[in-house]
Amino acid sequence: MSLLKLDKLIKDFGGLRAVDEVTFEVEAGDVFGLIGPNGAGKTTVFNLITGNYEPNGGDVIFDGTRINGLAPNKIVSLGVARTFQTIRLFKSLSALENVLSGAHCRMTSGSIAAMLKTPFQRREEKEALKLALTELDFVGLGDQAETRADGLSYGNQRLLEIARALATKPKLLILDEPAGGMNEQETDALIEIIARIKARGITVLLIEHDMSLVMQACEKLVVIEYGRKIAEGLPEEIKVNKKVIEAYLGTEDEEDETCF
Amino acid sequence: MTRKAIYLLLATLLAVSPAFLNAYWVDVLNNVGMYALLALSLNLILGHAGLFHMGHAAFYAVGAYTTAILNTTYGIPVLWLMPVAGLMAGLFALMVARPIIHLRGDYLLIVTIGFVEIVRIALVNNVFGITGGSNGIFGIDRPFLFGYKIRKPHEFFYLIWGFMVVTVFLFHRLENSRFGRALNYLREDDVAAEGSGINTTHYKLIAFVIGAVWAGMVGTIYASKMTIIAPESFNFWESVVMFMIVILGGSGSIRGVILGAFLVIGLPELFRGMGAVSDLINSVFSGFGVTLNLDFSNFSQARMMIFGAAMVIMMIFRNEGLLPPLPRKYPLKKIREEMS
Amino acid sequence: STIKIGLMCPLTGSWASEGQDMKQIVELLADEVNANGGLLGKQVEIITEDDAGDPRTAALAAQRLATRDIVAVIGTYGSSITEASQNIYDEEEIIQIANGSTAIRLSEKGLKYFFRSCPRDDEQGNVAMKTLMGMGFKKIAILHDNTTYAKGLADEAKTLLKEQPVEIVFYEALTAGERDYSAILTKMKAAAPDVVLFTGYYPEAGLLLRQKVEMGWNVPFLGGDATNNPDLVKIAGKKAAEGFLFLSPPVPQDLDSAESTSFMAAYTKKYNGAPGSVWAVLSGDGFNAIAAAIKSTGSTDADTLAAYLHKDLKDMPGLTGKISFNEKGDRVGDLYRVYKVDGEGNFVLQP
Amino acid sequence: MELFFQQLTNGLAVGGIYALIALGYTMVYGVLKLINFAHGDLFTIGAYLGLTLLSALGLTDHLGPFGVVVTLAIMVMGLVAVVGIVLERIAYRPLRESNRLSAVVSALGASIFFQNAVMLIYGARYQVYPHDILPKMVIPIFGLNVPLLRILILLTSVVMMAALYFFIQKTKIGTAIRAVAIDQGAAKLMGINVNAVIMIVFIIGPALGGSAGLMVGLYYGQINFTMGWIYGLKAFTAAILGGIGNIPGAMLGGLLLGVIEALGAAYISIAWKDAIAFIVLILILIVRPTGLLGERVAEKV
Amino acid sequence: MLLEVKNLHVKYGTVEAIHGINLHVDEGEIVTILGANGAGKSTTLMTISGLMKPSEGEIWFDGKPIHTMPAHKVVEEKVTQSPEGRRVFGTLTVQENLNLGAFTAKNPKRVEETRRWIFELFPRLKERKAQLAGTLSGGEQQMLAIGRALMNNPRILLLDEPSLGLAPILVKTIFDTIREINKSGVTVVLVEQNARAALKLAHRGYVMEVGNIVLEDDANALLANPSVREAYLGGGKKE
Ligand SMILES: Nc1ncnc2c1ncn2[C@@H]1O[C@H](COP(=O)(O)OP(=O)(O)OP(=O)(O)O)[C@@H](O)[C@H]1O
Ligand SMILES: Nc1ncnc2c1ncn2[C@@H]1O[C@H](COP(=O)(O)OP(=O)(O)OP(=O)(O)O)[C@@H](O)[C@H]1O
Ligand SMILES: CC(C)C[C@H](N)C(=O)O
Ligand SMILES: [Mg+2]
Ligand SMILES: [Mg+2]
């Protein structure tokens, strides 16, 4: 059974249908790419999955349950974590505390336990710190734990967002343009991190305009344009798909190096 | 280490200060203490959760009136009523905050201002016939502690500042917990907080509730200290004062908020004392046969003006507040060792 | 060493002008006493604290005074302000003689050291009722401003009027400090009263008078004692103020006792002009009473003085008439008079 | 029914004043996202300056009633604008880059300062405008007698609103003001002098507030140093009700607030009228979280 | 020499982000600045535009010092920037955004000509004249940002990561457009993450690392430079 299934998903903004009956399935363990021109509705699809928007029609089935309409935090605790297209870190908090926010949903002790400092609360706090450090190490920011998030370089901020998402112990990780603003070398490092995430058994769904990343990292792609799915398949198939070339990749010429 | 030493020194100084001060100055310290407690409770909502809340006096009022009504009609000792007052204020907060918790920034601000005004007007109009209207309620008992009746400023000093010690201790723990962090997350970016699995609505409400519970308990102290309460003591301006203390002191910082209370409440009193200062100088000089006619007492009419200017200046020079919060400390070394 | 007497009054805030007058009057009287050799052979010293017309500031001011070895304290003006300080003086066993605080309950608490040189609102309510009845009004509107004093007086009058063959067609509260009361006047007008009893303070009274004339409504107004202030005419304008009736203890100008005349002469000489309202003058009566008590008992002990004031001070000639206190500390005697504003804006004592 | 319309005009007159103050509030907010709590005190200053000028210059001897009002209005608006510019320079500009709430507290400090400065300069007693500057004309409209001045107040605020709206929406400077409101840095890259634009805003906003103060003085006669606080709060409420930052919204909010108060007082209870107004406000905000005309920008994630 | 940056130091608060760089741009050139994230490229552009003030050093444009000018004066000198992240005025229309681009222009006729040229360059903008900028797609916003900058008839156009977040097909369009703009006589400074494309387009390039310029050369030479290849062109599995 697939881990995530979108079934005729619809989202309207006023008169604009940003997502129009989009249907696809993501198999557990895959790295799955969602691509398409600017404004095609990719981010909107993500927001529908993560509960930031409520669909006007259709369903999102995650791990066998229908999750549309649930609050974002509920969906996170079910095992869907995300990063944002424009970085949304907690700027004035340390990298460590940013990652701890991810660990939050796996903890239970509340305000009264905190005031009393119960043994359970202390143990839980310690476990959370261990988890956070592990994830920071995983993305290579272990030595920056105490740096304020806005003091990190742009690329590292992107990685920190990934670490924060990983700390929620997700089954599905959703990345919105993780390589945006990265140069090629940084992108290569990111590809490697995505591979290691996959190796941990986490399914990845990503949006990206950087074709070198998409082609290297993804096992399967879906392409949307004007809110509709126009193609689906293996990267090699997509690359030569006429519709995709016309709408998204552009005609191949000697300059194709600029984007591939 | 040195910071701890400084705090300890300051605390000791404060603790022994009533021995050297007259009732008036002790009462000023009591006022500072009460406002500091109120501001600390507001700080959870405004400073930590970043919710623009300018209606804290409403919760304070609910606590004070709960105490006053239950004490004067059933004769329940006031200190027993402290948790009841807290509870009532908390419940009230839960009730009123629920429908408006999703409002943003300035819209929330005006709604919370609306709360204080509605509460005050309701009190003035004697809702349910139990609030005594604009007269308020009088004849509230003094607190008894271990059979000892607390009456004088010096005695209230230890009650108020004792409660402060407890509050600081608990709030410090609260701040440095999962709960405190959650509030900060939603202050920084509530979409990202939701996206990290934090139920922001829940935490906003809890922040309101805990803040209200504390304000309600301070309400108990206030009611028993004044023995008479009236709606005017809980007007919008009171909320503004608490708000200023938090921002001026440093939102999210316990030590900042306490310092803020000293300045916002203490400064105007200090300026008022200027008349006495000139009298003192005059009398010293007349002791030497020199007649001086200094009169700083006009200064006391200008004291609020100077205070206003001082606030602007302090904000300009310390725009993050006087003592902004320090980053939380985590025992990373220890954890690392355990990990490896 | 000196005998210290405290004065608590509003030197700042919206009642600042009353407080200034109180200070001048009490200091004038103290100077006179000192010129005549003082009390018990000692000079009298007045120690003033500003209560800003605000309960919380008043509590602090009381706390300050309590630390300064005073024998007694005079003041203050508004009932709710006085109330905030009562407990403090009582606990410190200091005699307090309030001058402008007429709310009934202030003296119903059994406080041993509390006195007031002004009358009480039950008396005022009674006089209001009689005045209204005497003028033959049948339909009465009552308007207050929800302050301790104004609401108390309004309630008192309402209770008394209910027993009379008249109809109360309107009873509500306005919000003090606003500018536009036309919505309220419109509503009141629709109730068609013969007369309006307004128990609030002079700034609102002035605006009400002015706006009712602007509406073209000619209903007569009767005001409570808090409308006794020359600013009323300034705000309303002479035309709108003309015919306005209010209740008040008599001002010294209208008394022909020796004390009143000599006081007025001295005051005018020193400060060029008459005091603004009667309330400040009543603080002078408070001072005279305590001075008399100290002189007669030869003591500065609070209990002795309180006992003397309660029982032995009888019909002392004061600036506003004869002064005695009952066991509750209230001033005895029918003090309230009716005044009317004439076309020139003068307050004329009605026979 | 006649009573209803009478109350409606009562409400509109009060609302007109709220609207005029709210326009200034909203202007400043729109550009700086600053809740200028001192705005109410600029209104007070306008009222006092009007009185001072009136008595100092003896205008009434030389000009007809409307000449007096217009001259006064121009002078008061000019002077209050100067105060506004100084206020911005000293209390707000240094805080432009910092936390929004710091600026709010600075505004509160400025408000305390102004209020007490006025008290020290003019004294604590009520001050009164002369009663006979404007003819007390009453105009019959649909069987109601409406004082001329009320119509003038309402008219002024509508005209000001329209002028302001046109200025902001259609002129080059207006576009620049809106650009500065959105992104100051980007506006600089367009060659816009951001300080100058903010100064313009701090000329218009305070001038409007000052003119409202003058009008209150002329119409109601009585002024005192604390009056700005209540009016300021009401105007802030009005601005929020209409959707803060939105100019027609401020107008709508002001008028609506005035009408709600008048009708609340008439048909429910005078003593509860402010509470009623707040309850209506809260209900409206629950349904429309950004006010009546406020943009509903669902944050794009 | 049209633009010259001499020994430029820039600080954020107390932290120095640019440690004394020198660079120059000749009339008619496309010069690209490469560098990792946080190297200081945007800071350099912002300082040239006058939004940040140097703590030390000078910036000269066409023989005038511009580092002492406030930002809006720099724009009047026809030094124009299309900033990182586009920063279009979201609640204004496309038309209004373009008008603001010409805020300092004095000659209305010239403005109309420029507008026509921009509409030829980006027909999409003409179609969407009345649309609010915030509702445009990412690529359209990028066009608007560049178009808005061109409205000022710049002598030098500073472009900060114009391809950020754009679909491949649009990246091509944008780069083609830059070439065209340059051909029409506008000098261009281009900051790009997409180093390969930038170098193909540019005449010369600089490489920045943590606030310093570490390399300066012809674009082709940089493309061939092994250390540049390794650091910025990705060692990855290139097809
Ligand atoms: N909150 C919103 N309100 C109104 N319109 C929206 C909203 N969010 C997205 N849209 C519109 O929906 C369409 C799809 O936007 P979306 O952000 O999903 O595009 P995208 O595929 O992620 O594009 P890009 O690659 O540029 O990020 C766009 O036209 C956008 O303007
Ligand atoms: N507002 C700021 N406050 C403090 N430091 C800043 C600020 N903006 C940038 N910096 C720091 O200045 C340095 C240079 O940043 P800059 O944005 O100029 O880099 P860049 O080369 O443009 O990087 P990118 O490729 O990420 O856009 C970085 O170390 C960054 O952390
Ligand atoms: C002095 C008086 C005008 C005050 C009023 N009688 C009161 O008790 O508050
Ligand atoms: Mg997107
Ligand atoms: Mg950059």
Side-chain angles (χ1 to χ4, degrees), chain C residues 228-239:
Chain C
N228 178 6
N229 189 299
D231 280 357
L232 173 98
V233 180
K234 248 174 66 188
I235 293 166
K238 280 178 191 154
K239 221 171 100 218

Side-chain angles (χ1 to χ4, degrees), chain C residues 77-80 100-103 121 124 149 201 225-226 279:
Chain C
Y77 179 79
S79 296
S80 38
S101 308
T102 55
D121 284 337
Q124 186 175 189
Y149 150 74
Y201 289 74
D225 62 18
W279 306 108

Side-chain angles (χ1 to χ4, degrees), chain B residues 57-72:
Chain B
F59 305 143
Y60 179 38
V62 170
Y65 269 85
T66 304
T67 308
I69 292 167
L70 293 179
N71 173 263
T72 52

